[in-house]
Amino acid sequence: MGQRSQVYIRYKNNKNLVAMHLQWNYGHYMINRTYQLLDFISKNMKDEYNNFAEKNFEITNRDRKDIDILHNLIQMNTTLGSYGKGVDLVKEKYVFDEEDKDTFKMIPKKQDNNNGILVIDIQDNGKIKYGLGGGYEEVENMTLEDDFKMITARKYFELHNNGFTGEYEKYKLENQNKELYDYVMKQIDFIDNSFELLTDKEYKEIFDSEYEYKDCMSEEEIKSAQEEKELMKEKREDFNANE
């Protein structure tokens, strides 16, 4: 099915949102990414000149290092030493938004997804909250119209593991690679014991909010997206003229 998922991270006093689509991100792969993101962000936020709080933001992120950091951490898997090229959903929305608005909303359930989501909310007081959501391949009776429910890392991993029954038990991570399984269990303990779970109400607030493109994209990205948008507009006009 492609193992499609998305990662969303909000920061800078609720103003900035990074959103990325990934292929081949499910089960322990999602846990690996959740761990490395939360581990890095929690360490980074201890510094007065961190990359994610509003205070000192312009000094620390003159070249929008904040976006580069998060994009890199989302696409890498430092546990396995692998890399999965993602799609920047904010830029994609900018390019395909025909209304030419300065603001946007993200609606996770409208994304191409079958293996769930990760949401991280970095608050300016230093608190970091997270939530995972199982996709329709794992959650019983979930339809494409249903929104995600915030669950812990352990619950997310269990949902994935529950799919391997009978003759498919051999494909469980613990049966294929016990050493990696034990390490993933430690990552799950770190995530669930160190960070507070987002409530469904908090999740809803994040995605009911409007964000400004200028806060969520670098000037270079906006310029590139504008060029793509103009090119698409010209192609549509040429197509319509030849109809």
Side-chain angles (χ1 to χ4, degrees), residues 211-239:
Y211 300 93
E212 294 192 45
Y213 284 113
K214 67 179 180 61
D215 289 330
C216 305
M217 300 172 66
S218 68
E219 290 182 8
E220 185 178 337
E221 286 174 321
I222 290 176
K223 182 179 178 182
S224 171
Q226 285 173 336
E227 291 172 355
E228 287 185 41
K229 194 181 186 80
E230 284 300 315
L231 184 59
M232 286 182 57
K233 184 179 178 181
E234 289 173 10
K235 287 182 177 179
R236 282 197 303 268
E237 289 173 351
D238 289 343
F239 178 81

Side-chain angles (χ1 to χ4, degrees), residues 73-85:
L73 281 170
I74 290 169
Q75 293 173 105
M76 290 188 299
N77 185 322
T78 59
T79 300
L80 301 178
S82 63
Y83 178 90
K85 180 68 174 173

Side-chain angles (χ1 to χ4, degrees), residues 16 18 42 71 74 77 93 115 132 141 144 153 161 187 242:
N16 291 19
V18 159
S42 61
H71 279 183
I74 290 169
N77 185 322
K93 196 165 188 67
N115 283 114
L132 287 149
N141 299 322
L144 295 176
N161 244 16
Q187 291 181 330
N242 293 322

Side-chain angles (χ1 to χ4, degrees), residues 138-155:
E138 298 113 349
V139 179
E140 189 175 1
N141 299 322
M142 184 177 181
T143 71
L144 295 176
E145 299 302 315
D146 293 332
D147 209 346
F148 297 94
K149 300 293 184 183
M150 294 291 91
I151 57 175
T152 64
R154 186 169 299 279
K155 179 64 176 175

Side-chain angles (χ1 to χ4, degrees), residues 60-76:
T60 311
N61 296 294
R62 287 174 182 166
D63 53 358
R64 294 312 304 264
K65 284 188 292 187
D66 56 305
I67 295 173
D68 288 340
I69 289 167
L70 295 177
H71 279 183
N72 287 331
L73 281 170
I74 290 169
Q75 293 173 105
M76 290 188 299

Side-chain angles (χ1 to χ4, degrees), residues 2 13 23 30 40 45 51 57 92 101-102 130 159-160 177-178 192 203 229 235:
N13 200 21
Q23 299 284 121
M30 179 71 95
F40 180 93
M45 283 295 287
N51 295 94
F57 186 84
E92 182 180 73
K101 292 174 62 178
D102 294 327
Y130 86 100
L159 280 176
H160 172 72
N177 189 332
K178 185 63 165 56
D192 290 346
Y203 164 82
K229 194 181 186 80
K235 287 182 177 179

